[in-house]
Amino acid sequence: MRAERLWQGALELSEAARASGDLVPLRTELVDDPRLHPFVLRRLLSRTPKHLRGGGPRPNPFLPWEPALELERLGRSHVVLLNKFPVQPAHLLLITQDWQPQTGWITAADWSAVAHLARDTGGFWFFNSCAAAGASQPHRHLQLLPRRADEPSCPLAAHFLREIAGNAPGWPWRYAIAARRSADDPLELEQLYLRQARDLELGDPRSDSRPHHPYNLLFDDDWFITVRREQEHCAGYSVNALGFGGYLLATDRSDSGWLERHGPWELLRRVAAPR
């Protein structure tokens, strides 16, 4: 059983950072529409934050990062922060302390940091490789939404397990899925990442300075998925790795009528690379 020390620390730090104004949770409401099942759609009620508005280059918020949001440093390589604009409580960011580009390859040091956190707190991990894949910041960061061992990591987790078992149809776009054997083995994570990158023709860090195409990663203790991306948005919905896990967010730019007519699976198909 995990200690979940980081999760508890994140909740306590969140209270203090919210009281000081350093943490700004986004107000949302759940859209109750059975036609969207198993996807979870939330409507943003807060003013749309800058990182969702676009509008060109912005200062790097991680150099330096806000001290009030710092949860823990992992030696000199990485630091764990609270997401400043969370939708869900205790949303964690694992960032490199020194500048590393989000558009570069995830390294062995990054996977070791992921595994270190995973030994304490489990949940839904995700990564957006660049702006075209939904990344809002250029500084390398992986993200974790903590989850209990007895709850699904994301709305589509059961679908992924059925697909791995051969009991669910595959997606009609470019992606790779694999079962995991260990929840906290950095070498396994790195090997899955590199193998799926080659399978999806993203490239190889031994010969390519950066991946050839935008992509998302999403993984938990049981599965690891890479999705090759074509574009960041469709019908006013910005889609990052959370979308491929079943989480969607509607803003004042979103065309709710389009989503009602076409459904969330079609939304994902429009933003993923076609087969």
Side-chain angles (χ1 to χ4, degrees):
M1 181 178 295
R2 288 178 165 112
E4 297 179 349
R5 176 185 57 81
L6 285 167
W7 191 354
Q8 184 57 44
L11 292 173
E12 294 171 0
L13 182 61
S14 295
E15 290 185 14
R18 184 170 184 173
S20 65
D22 294 288
L23 187 74
V24 186
L26 298 181
R27 292 188 303 111
T28 64
E29 64 178 4
L30 185 66
V31 177
D32 186 12
D33 187 343
R35 294 172 296 180
L36 301 178
H37 183 79
F39 287 79
V40 173
L41 173 65
R42 302 195 73 88
R43 181 180 294 111
L44 182 65
L45 302 178
S46 303
R47 183 170 181 267
T48 305
K50 290 181 180 179
H51 71 280
L52 293 178
R53 285 186 235 148
R58 294 178 297 275
N60 184 350
F62 301 145
L63 280 181
W65 58 86
E66 295 184 47
L69 302 179
E70 179 182 328
L71 181 61
E72 183 170 303
R73 298 192 192 190
L74 308 182
R76 296 182 178 180
S77 63
H78 293 75
V79 61
V80 184
L81 305 177
L82 295 176
N83 184 342
K84 185 176 182 67
F85 301 104
V87 172
Q88 300 183 34
H91 183 163
L92 299 177
L93 306 179
L94 175 64
I95 75 167
T96 57
Q97 291 188 33
D98 296 325
W99 164 254
Q100 294 293 335
Q102 188 79 349
T103 54
W105 293 101
I106 300 176
T107 68
D110 297 321
W111 292 121
S112 292
V114 168
H116 177 82
L117 266 65
R119 294 182 189 109
D120 176 84
T121 297
F124 178 52
W125 284 92
F126 62 99
F127 176 80
N128 309 310
S129 72
C130 60
S136 60
Q137 307 298 344
H139 186 124
R140 184 171 305 150
H141 61 288
L142 289 96
Q143 305 186 52
L144 171 64
L145 297 176
R147 296 288 185 264
R148 305 291 182 197
D150 59 350
E151 65 179 334
S153 62
C154 64
L156 297 185
H159 176 89
F160 301 148
L161 292 174
R162 289 196 301 270
E163 182 175 348
I164 288 172
N167 298 320
W171 284 339
W173 50 75
R174 297 291 303 274
Y175 77 104
I177 183 171
R180 294 187 60 193
R181 300 184 305 273
S182 170
D184 57 8
D185 181 356
L187 182 59
E188 180 195 62
L189 285 165
E190 183 180 26
Q191 290 174 340
L192 287 170
Y193 170 62
L194 295 176
R195 182 167 67 244
Q196 293 187 355
R198 289 191 291 269
D199 291 346
L200 295 175
E201 299 177 294
L202 301 181
D204 188 318
R206 294 172 296 183
S207 56
D208 303 302
S209 60
R210 56 189 287 182
H212 298 313
H213 305 282
Y215 67 93
N216 294 125
L217 299 179
L218 43 158
F219 56 96
D220 70 3
D221 290 353
D222 300 313
W223 42 261
F224 189 102
I225 299 172
T226 305
V227 180
R228 183 166 147 181
R229 294 292 300 273
E230 187 81 359
Q231 62 186 45
E232 182 268 341
H233 66 279
C234 175
Y237 289 89
S238 178
V239 181
N240 62 15
L242 287 170
F244 290 90
Y247 292 113
L248 300 174
L249 182 67
T251 68
D252 55 5
R253 299 182 178 184
S254 302
D255 186 344
S256 59
W258 186 97
L259 191 64
E260 291 171 2
R261 291 191 303 274
H262 297 282
W265 293 111
E266 179 63 13
L267 176 65
L268 298 187
R269 189 189 71 78
R270 296 282 184 100
V271 300
R275 281 190 170 181

